[in-house]
Amino acid sequence: MSSSSLRGSVRGCWARISLALVVLAALVAAAPLLLGPLPATDDGLHHLFRLFELDRALRAGHLYPRLFAGMGFGYGYPVLNFYSPLGYYVAWIGTALGTGYIGGIRLAHVLGLLTAAAATYAWVALLLPRPAAVVAAVAYTAFPYHLADIYVRGALAESLAFAFPPLLLWVGTLMRGDEQRAARPWLTPFFALGTAAFILTHNLTALMFALPLALYFVLLYGSPRSAAARWPYARLIGAGTLGIGLAAFFWVPAILEVRYVLAGQVTGLDELLLQLQPLREWFSPFLIHRYRPHQLVAAQHPLGLAQTVLAPIGAAALALQWRQLPPPARRAGAFAATVSLGTVALLLPASAPLWEKLPLLHYLQFPWRLQAVLTLCSALLAAGVVAWVRPGPFAALAAGALGAALMIAGMGGLRLESAHLPGYDRPLAEADIGPQGLVEYDYQTALWLREHGGEWLLEYMPVWALPRRADFFLPEDGVEATLPPVEVTAAQLRSADPLSLDLAISLASPGTISFHRFFFPGWRITADGRPLEPRPYGPLGLLAADLPAGEHLVQLRPGATPPRTLGAALSALALLAIVIWSWRSRTRLPLALLAGAALFAALVAFRSHRYPTAHVPVPIQAQVGEAALLLGFHADRQGDWLEVTLYWLALDAHQDDYRVFVHAVDPEGSLAAQHDGRPGQEFSPTRRWVPGEVLADQHLLPVPSGPVTLYAGMYTWPEVSNLPVLQDGAEVPDRRVLLGEWGPR
């Protein structure tokens, strides 16, 4: 073997060892997720139940549900109209492949850790020797704020967003060295897709990194007047523009429609400024980092001691080697030092005038979010500690030892507890992630707002419902509103899913039909194919439309708004440009996009067929007292429970607080199972119903051991007396609506 071949073989060996160390560090960081129960975190339940709602919508065929219908006690929140969606889709792929909801969240976090570590290694390896790249990747993984995002905050989107800054820096650095246009044609579309994915993963993190990334590329590329820099600048700016355009279907309506909700407006300036702390309060005094609430400094997320020590030492080491470093490494070091100092300055009380005068900063909500920028820059500076060591066994040993110390310092202080639903001590189980768990989660969230404050907890509630936000889930005695009754002569529910509904209805006189949804722009309501004008109705501003007298087929569907149409058009144009570029450059990207789309479509089709949430309810023709019509029902087994959904149409406003019952009667006439309670799992009492309101009312019964006959009805409370029942034109003596037969499968 020639000496050059031997050197190449050795380099390849060290490269594989280095990458293996990086992957090992990411897996060690993910070990608590993989080997133990899901940790209790600040936001973990938020993301779990959003994943559940996304799954319900996808199983009904809605590929991009901007509204999660089950949230807000079934009134619906437009979460994905404002919150970046990609993280939930990543988690959903795991769910669709059989990991469950909890497993999907685990998988997303693990993929985020692996991608962030590998991208950091790839980027720094272009600038510094491989041992330094290993240290940078491990530091970026193990520095406290990254781990806190996963194990303390449970911030799914923000933790996944850690992968994109180093990924874009890596691709952008390659583009600077790729002066031959055809050498790496995949870089341009890849940078565009990475930019779009960054925005679609967490838009606030993308906004926060915009200026640091721009500074890095200006330092790296040099003057745009240089002939050598013109083409890289053109590619970079063009790719970034395409990426921003590709994500326009999300950010255009998010910006133009945010005035309808509180998102991004929930932290007052005074509260934000209180989080700015003196310099000493931003540094943890513990070598093995302690996480909130045991860190003994005022800042919620201080820098780790290892991070504080290594970053300046590494910066000094890079400065001492300045003449020996290649130009890209010098510029990267200058970038990291400059941005680190600027970021620290923004965390101090002296920066208050900037926070006051730059409204864009207010959308960060919490100054400590800037720790994400500081984590990346300090990781690069920390790599300077071993940048002077020549590649070889000693360098690998030094990088491995330093990486192990960083992992211990970052993870040794984690004190994890098992996640659980509010009010329960047992660890969270997969069976808890369902409609009942969602209602309990909603209740505790709203109750916390009522008792302790925290406006952000209901940030997606439409502004026209805000006067009731602190008590809309706890209605007071008395009629909610004086609204005219609807004169319904016949009604039949044709189909229903979480976001759509088909209702055949006949009105004796003009009336208003409403749905158990907060009104929000974008719903499409038609009668006999003709569009109706949606409007808010009643005290809570429910989605409603006015109908003329006569027979109609009313259809409710998610629709578009002008901002959504504009955003979709921009995204389509950007995607077309990316595909054309890729095709002309003869890259395989279009095939990869098609393969990814096909896989996603196959997963959606399989899951919607295997576990559908769209169904045709069993039709029922029954009137219960003067309160409502029972239009139909659907029964399905969910684990150890039989989920019976009743579909009601309210006829008039009532002061009485009726209870609903569902009985399962065995062939011998004995009661095999039952459920009693207020509609909407206790949170949609009949005195809150508005005339013409259609709502789905779920009841959970223990699964009967054999076939049963299902009955339903209403009764008065506290003096128990069943309301009269008129079914199929005849009065029912026992005042129970016969639903139908059900047998376990």
Side-chain angles (χ1 to χ4, degrees):
M1 179 182 292
S2 66
S3 59
S4 60
S5 299
L6 180 61
R7 285 194 299 270
S9 177
V10 171
R11 282 196 299 269
C13 180
W14 288 127
R16 288 190 291 272
I17 292 174
S18 299
L19 185 58
L21 288 173
V22 169
V23 172
L24 178 62
L27 291 176
V28 169
L33 286 168
L34 297 172
L35 302 178
L38 192 71
T41 57
D42 297 343
D43 297 345
L45 290 180
H46 300 322
H47 300 302
L48 263 173
F49 283 107
R50 289 177 185 178
L51 174 59
F52 168 70
E53 281 293 297
L54 173 64
D55 181 51
R56 289 182 68 217
L58 288 173
R59 284 155 52 194
H62 302 285
L63 298 182
Y64 184 46
R66 293 181 179 270
L67 182 136
F68 287 157
M71 306 201 93
F73 304 97
Y75 289 103
Y77 288 155
V79 176
L80 292 192
N81 204 60
F82 305 104
Y83 196 91
S84 296
L86 189 57
Y88 299 120
Y89 281 87
V90 172
W92 180 83
I93 290 174
T95 299
L97 293 175
T99 66
Y101 300 113
I102 295 175
I105 294 291
R106 294 181 200 267
L107 178 64
H109 278 304
V110 172
L111 288 176
L113 282 166
L114 287 168
T115 306
T120 305
Y121 170 78
W123 168 49
V124 179
L126 297 176
L127 308 169
L128 298 171
R130 292 189 186 278
V134 170
V135 171
V138 175
Y140 191 54
T141 301
F143 279 167
Y145 186 70
H146 194 173
L147 294 174
D149 252 1
I150 299 170
Y151 292 112
V152 178
R153 299 186 61 222
L156 176 67
E158 291 180 61
S159 68
L160 291 181
F162 266 78
F164 291 100
L167 187 69
L168 294 176
L169 290 167
W170 171 59
V171 177
T173 304
L174 286 175
M175 291 170 71
R176 175 62 182 93
D178 185 25
E179 296 182 8
Q180 297 296 323
R181 298 189 180 191
R184 295 187 182 97
W186 58 271
L187 291 175
T188 301
F190 194 88
F191 192 93
L193 292 175
T195 301
F198 195 7
I199 297 169
L200 295 175
T201 298
H202 195 246
N203 54 317
L204 290 183
T205 304
L207 174 66
M208 192 166 54
F209 269 95
L211 187 58
L213 289 176
L215 175 62
Y216 173 83
F217 290 126
V218 168
L219 290 173
L220 182 68
Y221 286 24
S223 172
R225 297 181 180 180
S226 167
R230 288 175 187 169
W231 173 242
Y233 265 118
R235 290 180 68 185
L236 183 75
I237 295 172
T241 302
L242 286 177
I244 294 170
L246 189 59
F249 73 91
F250 162 71
W251 62 260
V252 170
I255 291 173
L256 297 181
E257 296 178 352
V258 73
R259 65 184 185 275
Y260 300 137
V261 296
L262 285 179
Q265 308 165 45
V266 296
T267 302
L269 180 61
D270 292 340
E271 182 181 348
L272 187 150
L273 295 179
L274 286 174
Q275 298 176 51
L276 302 175
Q277 299 292 335
L279 187 62
R280 64 181 179 276
E281 299 295 334
W282 286 103
F283 297 106
S284 169
F286 302 104
L287 183 59
I288 295 180
H289 191 78
R290 293 187 183 181
Y291 294 86
R292 196 178 72 232
H294 309 294
Q295 50 207 22
L296 301 184
V297 290
Q300 288 193 40
H301 297 284
L303 285 78
L305 183 57
Q307 181 181 9
T308 304
V309 171
L310 282 180
I313 292 176
L318 291 174
L320 290 173
Q321 304 172 74
W322 194 258
R323 293 181 179 276
Q324 289 74 41
L325 292 175
R330 296 180 197 172
R331 295 165 184 171
F335 153 78
T338 302
V339 173
S340 293
L341 292 173
T343 303
V344 170
L346 280 173
L347 298 174
L348 306 179
S351 68
L354 281 177
W355 289 93
E356 293 172 350
K357 294 176 181 178
L358 297 177
L360 203 60
L361 287 175
H362 301 174
Y363 282 92
L364 295 183
Q365 298 177 338
F366 312 108
W368 42 257
R369 273 192 165 129
L370 291 168
Q371 284 275 35
V373 176
L374 200 52
T375 298
L376 178 64
C377 293
S378 57
L380 176 60
L381 293 176
V385 173
V386 296
W388 56 273
V389 183
R390 301 182 67 179
F394 177 74
L397 183 62
L402 185 55
L406 286 171
M407 295 303 300
I408 293 171
M411 299 195 65
L414 287 171
R415 298 292 181 264
L416 304 180
E417 299 179 2
S418 300
H420 55 84
L421 283 178
Y424 293 84
D425 294 329
R426 58 177 174 78
L428 187 73
E430 189 67 26
D432 295 326
I433 314 303
Q436 182 66 33
L438 176 57
V439 166
E440 294 181 21
Y441 153 80
D442 269 343
Y443 174 68
Q444 293 297 333
T445 301
L447 194 63
W448 180 274
L449 167 66
R450 184 180 176 89
E451 296 183 355
H452 304 287
E455 304 298 320
W456 65 273
L457 290 170
L458 298 181
E459 62 182 323
Y460 297 117
M461 192 171 181
V463 292
W464 37 82
L466 289 183
R468 300 297 304 274
R469 72 174 167 208
D471 64 357
F472 80 97
F473 64 106
L474 295 173
E476 300 173 354
D477 292 336
V479 180
E480 285 284 326
T482 303
L483 298 169
V486 292
E487 299 182 37
V488 180
T489 57
Q492 181 184 6
L493 191 63
R494 300 281 181 85
S495 65
D497 68 46
L499 292 171
S500 301
L501 182 145
D502 287 357
L503 173 68
I505 188 169
S506 178
L507 298 182
S509 61
T512 300
I513 188 77
S514 66
F515 305 92
H516 194 71
R517 297 277 180 271
F518 288 130
F519 169 78
F520 197 80
W523 284 106
R524 181 165 57 90
I525 305 175
T526 62
D528 309 313
R530 295 186 297 273
L532 301 177
E533 184 66 32
R535 64 182 178 92
Y537 185 62
L540 287 179
L542 298 186
L543 174 65
D546 298 322
L547 279 176
E551 298 182 0
H552 307 286
L553 175 61
V554 177
Q555 295 181 304
L556 173 68
R557 298 288 187 273
T561 61
R564 296 177 197 177
T565 302
L566 173 61
L570 292 175
S571 294
L573 289 173
L575 180 60
L576 179 62
I578 291 171
V579 171
I580 291 174
W581 173 278
S582 302
W583 176 73
R584 295 190 63 182
S585 302
R586 299 183 180 180
T587 70
R588 297 178 180 178
L589 184 62
L591 291 178
L593 290 174
L594 286 174
L599 174 61
F600 177 74
L603 286 174
V604 171
F606 169 78
R607 193 155 175 83
S608 61
H609 174 74
R610 184 71 177 83
Y611 308 104
T613 53
H615 51 260
V616 177
V618 177
I620 302 292
Q621 297 290 330
Q623 180 171 336
V624 180
E626 300 297 323
L629 298 178
L630 184 55
L631 304 178
F633 86 100
H634 177 75
D636 193 17
R637 179 170 182 166
Q638 302 290 341
D640 295 331
W641 298 95
L642 174 61
E643 182 181 283
V644 179
T645 303
L646 306 176
Y647 293 93
W648 300 100
L649 172 61
L651 297 176
D652 201 351
H654 287 271
Q655 187 172 359
D656 296 306
D657 184 12
Y658 298 127
R659 301 308 199 256
V660 174
F661 66 83
V662 176
H663 292 167
V665 178
D666 64 23
E668 287 72 36
S670 300
L671 192 62
Q674 74 177 85
H675 180 271
D676 295 66
R678 286 168 164 168
Q681 295 173 316
E682 300 290 337
F683 295 101
S684 298
T686 53
R687 63 168 173 252
R688 162 146 290 178
W689 293 4
V690 298
E693 180 180 352
V694 179
L695 75 157
D697 173 26
Q698 293 176 329
H699 297 264
L700 297 178
L701 289 71
V703 173
S705 58
V708 293
T709 302
L710 297 175
Y711 297 88
M714 287 185 183
Y715 58 88
T716 57
W717 181 265
E719 294 79 17
V720 177
S721 176
N722 284 9
L723 298 187
V725 171
L726 191 69
Q727 184 169 10
D728 297 328
E731 188 173 341
V732 179
D734 66 355
R735 298 188 170 188
R736 296 189 303 180
V737 178
L738 172 62
L739 301 180
E741 308 293 326
W742 185 87
R745 290 176 289 180

